[in-house]
Amino acid sequence: MITVKYFIRPSKKNPDKKTSIYVRVANGRKFDYTVKTGWEILPTQFSNETQGIKQRARFNENSKENLSIKQSWERKLTRLKQNIENSFATYSEPTKENLLLIVDRFNFPEKYKDKPQTFFEFVQHFVDTAPNRINQRTTKPVSYKMIREYHATFGYLQEYAKETGEEIDFEDIDLNFYDNFKLFLERKGLALNTVGKKITVLKIFLNDATARGINKNLTFQSTRFKALTEESGNIYLTTEEIEKIYSMDLSDKPKLEKVRDMFVIGCWTGLRYSDWHKIRPENIKNGFITLTQGKTGNPVVIPIHPTVENILNKYNGNLPKPITNQKFNKSLKEVAKLAKFKEGITKQITRGGKTETIIRNKWEMVTTHTARRSFATNMYKSGIPSITIMAITGHRTEIAYLKYIKVTPQEHAERMRDIWLSSSSHLKVAK
């Protein structure tokens, strides 16, 4: 695990003299590098114990200005640390020169502004600055999940270059590169959808470089340079299954009970997991939930289902505190197992260029996202128009929305039959 620490070495002869702030980056026995940050500070203002500015540090006699300077120092220390952590996570074999370059880029960004960048230099800077990047669609910082994808894709690009011995620059990213890189990822055993995600992120890098006038090679915009995907085989729960989960007595398992309740809310609101915990009394008015989605920034209005109302009343409008998605999914599978969702689900996945068939119990496949998928599918099956469902789920395009609809050919046929039978004007067979 990478650790980043700051420290100073005060002069014993001149303890009141400004001294350099050092940064040390280590990872067990793998590497241990120390360089100067280029910043100096008085020993009375910095604490080696906390690796930051002392709580009572004085920079100015004016209290407001002193606070402003102190906060500026803290932001600078935090940002450099984040840049180092994010950058070093992408290096297969980080060097001291890498650390020196990161510090230099941070302190003197103007030096690199007009300098012709190689593809890897550009991506490195893109990844370094990702925590400060704003999603143009939502006007919010890029999500941690997306930043993690940037790092992972850059790591694979570096690994590919190392294994093949190729020097990859912008002009080298053509259809041959696309085919070879895709094959490289498949040989790593990545699933087709995962390979597609890496190609998508690669195109994000190239689009940004093109918009900034750094890249002139537009081969990546070809229809052949595409991110392949396949049906993931995700499941949904029927309204009967949701009711079965909700009616379970979990009073002796309070942890699972809270997970169950939050999941059921997701099943009847269509919200993403990241938005479930945003529901507060101030978001509820006249039988509707109104809030802004975290991922898209879109405002949504959702009618309160009776089951959701019961759960809100149970917690007096203040839902349980959120836990990590990973921990939630683990507990959720326990709930689904207790509900005895043992139906065998056949799932096909393309991995390493070969199609595999996997059979799992349904309870093993239930995740937080199953709730949103269940909402969209059940509302669609009940006959609610897609445009109405999309207004509640926040989907912008029907293509994106239809990916959530998990209706089998048999269910489609049954739905059409029911519509025919309920119609007041049946089609008549001509004689």
Side-chain angles (χ1 to χ4, degrees):
M1 181 178 177
I2 297 172
T3 59
V4 181
K5 297 182 178 180
Y6 292 111
F7 66 91
I8 59 174
R9 293 169 176 162
S11 170
K12 292 182 180 180
K13 292 183 178 181
N14 299 301
D16 297 327
K17 182 182 178 182
K18 282 190 175 183
T19 183
S20 294
I21 297 179
Y22 292 82
V23 62
R24 179 183 180 186
V25 184
N27 185 357
R29 296 182 179 181
K30 293 182 179 180
F31 60 80
D32 191 337
Y33 308 130
T34 298
V35 301
K36 289 183 178 181
T37 61
W39 311 328
E40 292 186 340
I41 198 167
L42 290 173
T44 56
Q45 298 167 336
F46 191 90
S47 168
N48 278 343
E49 184 178 351
T50 63
Q51 303 169 51
I53 306 303
K54 289 183 177 180
Q55 188 174 1
R56 297 184 178 181
R58 299 300 302 176
F59 297 90
N60 192 290
E61 293 302 319
N62 184 291
S63 58
K64 288 186 177 180
E65 290 185 12
N66 186 70
L67 178 61
S68 177
I69 295 172
K70 182 180 176 182
Q71 290 175 337
S72 177
W73 266 107
E74 290 171 344
R75 284 195 298 270
K76 188 163 64 170
L77 289 164
T78 300
R79 284 179 54 217
L80 177 58
K81 183 178 180 180
Q82 289 175 340
N83 279 3
I84 293 172
E85 289 174 338
N86 292 334
S87 298
F88 266 61
T90 68
Y91 297 135
S92 56
E93 295 181 8
T95 65
K96 189 171 184 177
E97 286 66 31
N98 292 142
L99 179 56
L100 287 167
L101 180 60
I102 294 168
V103 173
D104 196 54
R105 277 186 181 278
F106 186 87
N107 287 330
F108 308 104
E110 65 279 359
K111 281 173 53 177
Y112 301 89
K113 185 176 181 181
D114 300 318
K115 176 185 175 183
Q117 287 181 301
T118 65
F119 174 64
F120 274 6
E121 285 178 337
F122 173 81
V123 177
Q124 181 69 69
H125 181 67
F126 185 100
V127 172
D128 288 346
T129 57
N132 306 318
R133 193 177 297 275
I134 298 297
N135 185 317
Q136 297 300 315
R137 186 177 62 181
T138 65
T139 67
K140 293 185 177 181
V142 174
S143 69
Y144 168 75
K145 185 177 179 181
M146 198 66 230
I147 293 175
R148 191 172 58 189
E149 284 293 339
Y150 295 159
H151 284 290
T153 302
F154 189 25
Y156 278 120
L157 286 166
Q158 290 175 308
E159 194 174 345
Y160 170 81
K162 184 178 179 180
E163 285 193 15
T164 61
E166 296 180 17
E167 291 187 11
I168 306 170
D169 216 333
F170 289 107
E171 63 269 17
D172 301 313
I173 302 178
D174 53 17
L175 292 177
N176 286 330
F177 169 84
Y178 167 79
D179 291 335
N180 292 332
F181 183 56
K182 187 159 65 69
L183 183 61
F184 164 80
L185 294 174
E186 289 174 352
R187 286 174 177 165
K188 290 291 179 183
L190 300 187
L192 181 63
N193 285 341
T194 306
V195 172
K197 187 66 176 179
K198 306 314 171 200
I199 298 298
T200 295
V201 175
L202 170 60
K203 296 182 77 167
I204 288 175
F205 295 154
L206 294 170
N207 269 314
D208 194 73
T210 302
R212 297 176 188 278
I214 298 171
N215 174 48
K216 305 298 181 183
N217 178 8
L218 304 182
T219 306
F220 75 96
Q221 296 179 354
S222 165
T223 54
R224 286 185 56 194
F225 203 114
K226 59 183 178 181
L228 299 174
T229 60
E230 66 180 347
E231 176 60 43
S232 60
N234 291 317
I235 63 164
Y236 81 98
L237 299 187
T238 64
T239 53
E240 292 77 16
E241 288 172 323
I242 296 170
E243 179 57 32
K244 184 177 182 180
I245 278 186
Y246 181 59
S247 62
M248 289 169 56
D249 182 6
L250 297 174
S251 56
D252 60 334
K253 299 179 178 64
K255 174 185 172 183
L256 296 186
E257 184 177 24
K258 291 177 182 178
V259 166
R260 185 272 312 277
D261 290 345
M262 294 304 297
F263 176 74
V264 171
I265 283 181
C267 289
W268 288 116
T269 60
L271 290 169
R272 297 177 181 84
Y273 175 71
S274 57
D275 291 327
W276 294 355
H277 304 280
K278 292 182 180 178
I279 303 175
R280 289 288 179 264
E282 57 267 28
N283 300 113
I284 302 169
K285 187 176 182 181
N286 300 326
F288 295 93
I289 297 171
T290 303
L291 54 76
T292 300
Q293 294 180 315
K295 182 177 180 180
T296 64
N298 294 334
V300 292
V301 180
I302 306 167
I304 299 178
H305 187 274
T307 301
V308 174
E309 185 175 16
N310 290 338
I311 295 174
L312 289 171
N313 290 336
K314 176 179 178 179
Y315 294 98
N316 296 318
N318 295 303
L319 296 174
K321 293 181 179 180
I323 59 177
T324 65
N325 202 319
Q326 184 178 13
K327 290 181 179 179
F328 194 100
N329 279 331
K330 185 177 180 180
S331 296
L332 181 57
K333 284 175 171 52
E334 290 184 50
V335 173
K337 190 174 184 179
L338 289 172
K340 299 181 180 179
F341 293 156
K342 296 181 180 180
E343 176 189 351
I345 303 295
T346 300
K347 180 178 180 179
Q348 288 191 326
I349 183 172
T350 302
R351 189 185 302 278
K354 297 180 180 180
T355 301
E356 302 175 6
T357 299
I358 303 171
I359 300 178
R360 291 180 178 172
N361 289 316
K362 192 169 187 176
W363 66 264
E364 296 178 275
M365 301 179 67
V366 178
T367 68
T368 55
H369 216 59
T370 302
R372 183 167 162 82
R373 197 175 296 112
S374 299
F375 174 85
T377 302
N378 289 324
M379 296 305 101
Y380 175 82
K381 288 176 65 177
S382 69
I384 296 176
S386 295
I387 191 170
T388 299
I389 302 172
M390 288 170 62
I392 293 175
T393 60
H395 285 108
R396 294 190 176 191
T397 67
E398 194 165 14
I399 292 176
Y401 157 74
L402 289 175
K403 291 180 180 178
Y404 280 76
I405 305 302
K406 300 297 175 182
V407 181
T408 66
Q410 178 67 30
E411 289 174 320
H412 276 299
E414 291 173 357
R415 185 165 183 257
M416 180 174 287
R417 179 199 60 191
D418 293 342
I419 292 174
W420 285 353
L421 294 175
S422 63
S423 174
S424 58
S425 56
H426 301 299
L427 293 175
K428 295 182 179 180
V429 180
K431 295 182 178 179

